[in-house]
Amino acid sequence: MDITQLILDDHHEQRRLFAILEQIDRSDTGVLSAIWDRLAAFLELHAQAEEEIFYPALLQVGIAARRKAGVEDETLDAIDDHNQIRDAIAEVGRHRVGTDEWYAAVAAANEANSDHMAEEEREGLTDFRRLAGLSRRHQLAVDFAAYEARNYAGVQPVDKDPAGYVRAAEESLRVTGGGSLSVGSLKRP
């Protein structure tokens, strides 16, 4: 098991759920609502799991490999992307299900999420596979799977200040002497 593969699996499921929404008759608002509610909760849970587990670890291995600037930029961008996805999800909730406005908001959420996934797959996940050993990726996968399982009913969406997030993660690394971050050790900015 590898955290990068678990993240890719989540991305596949997100793409699948967006595709399902595109294939449901717009008058079937009960089904549209059910699928959207599941997708919206999943998007937030996935983002939160990455913020709790993956991105602190990416910063850690990047700093150790003397690639601090690159992983900081990737992390800043990812946290900003997560905020944009949260905002897009909130916008969907402002519209009546099945209307043109609702579909436009869902499409905007899909676009924000797709852009984020593509960049993360091209940069963050690739860098992490190169910088972190398989045993570290395995342990993080266990933590990631457990986090998602414990929070299967969803988590509260909370936008984060990207710079504050990186500062807190790096401070946690400094305090622990660059040792491993434990799940939940990242202080909120």
Side-chain angles (χ1 to χ4, degrees):
M1 187 165 41
D2 181 331
I3 190 169
T4 63
Q5 186 59 53
L6 289 184
I7 290 171
L8 289 169
D9 292 346
D10 278 7
H11 289 180
H12 175 76
E13 179 65 5
Q14 292 164 20
R15 289 179 176 105
R16 188 181 76 82
L17 290 169
F18 273 113
I20 288 171
L21 284 173
E22 295 167 355
Q23 299 173 57
I24 297 169
D25 188 278
R26 72 175 39 229
S27 66
D28 201 346
T29 57
V31 173
L32 287 170
S33 290
I35 301 295
W36 172 254
D37 290 348
R38 166 67 183 118
L39 175 55
F42 184 51
L43 289 168
E44 181 54 38
L45 176 57
H46 175 80
Q48 189 70 17
E50 285 184 344
E51 291 167 1
E52 289 289 326
I53 297 162
F54 178 70
Y55 281 101
L58 177 63
L59 285 166
Q60 182 182 30
V61 299
I63 290 167
R66 302 190 194 295
R67 293 202 56 245
K68 181 178 177 180
V71 296
E72 278 182 343
D73 288 345
E74 289 173 31
T75 303
L76 287 166
D77 190 51
I79 302 307
D80 185 57
D81 288 352
H82 288 171
N83 289 341
Q84 290 177 30
I85 294 164
R86 288 180 184 107
D87 294 344
I89 291 167
E91 182 61 28
V92 173
R94 294 182 183 86
H95 304 285
R96 194 166 44 88
V97 176
T99 63
D100 289 342
E101 296 81 11
W102 184 83
Y103 275 102
V106 168
N110 189 1
E111 182 176 357
N113 192 59
S114 294
D115 290 349
H116 167 69
M117 290 186 302
E119 189 170 23
E120 186 173 70
E121 290 168 7
R122 193 174 54 250
E123 295 173 3
L125 296 178
T126 298
D127 284 348
F128 199 72
R129 280 189 295 271
R130 290 177 179 155
L131 297 172
L134 187 55
S135 64
R136 177 78 170 129
R137 295 193 322 260
H138 173 79
Q139 184 54 55
L140 290 168
V142 171
D143 294 344
F144 193 86
Y147 186 91
E148 287 189 329
R150 281 192 303 272
N151 294 286
Y152 71 92
V155 294
Q156 184 67 35
V158 177
D159 277 356
K160 295 165 184 71
D161 169 49
Y165 173 92
V166 169
R167 275 193 308 276
E170 289 176 348
E171 177 62 20
S172 180
L173 287 170
R174 189 188 65 72
V175 167
T176 62
S180 67
L181 288 167
S182 62
V183 176
S185 68
L186 179 62
K187 294 183 174 96
R188 295 284 161 240

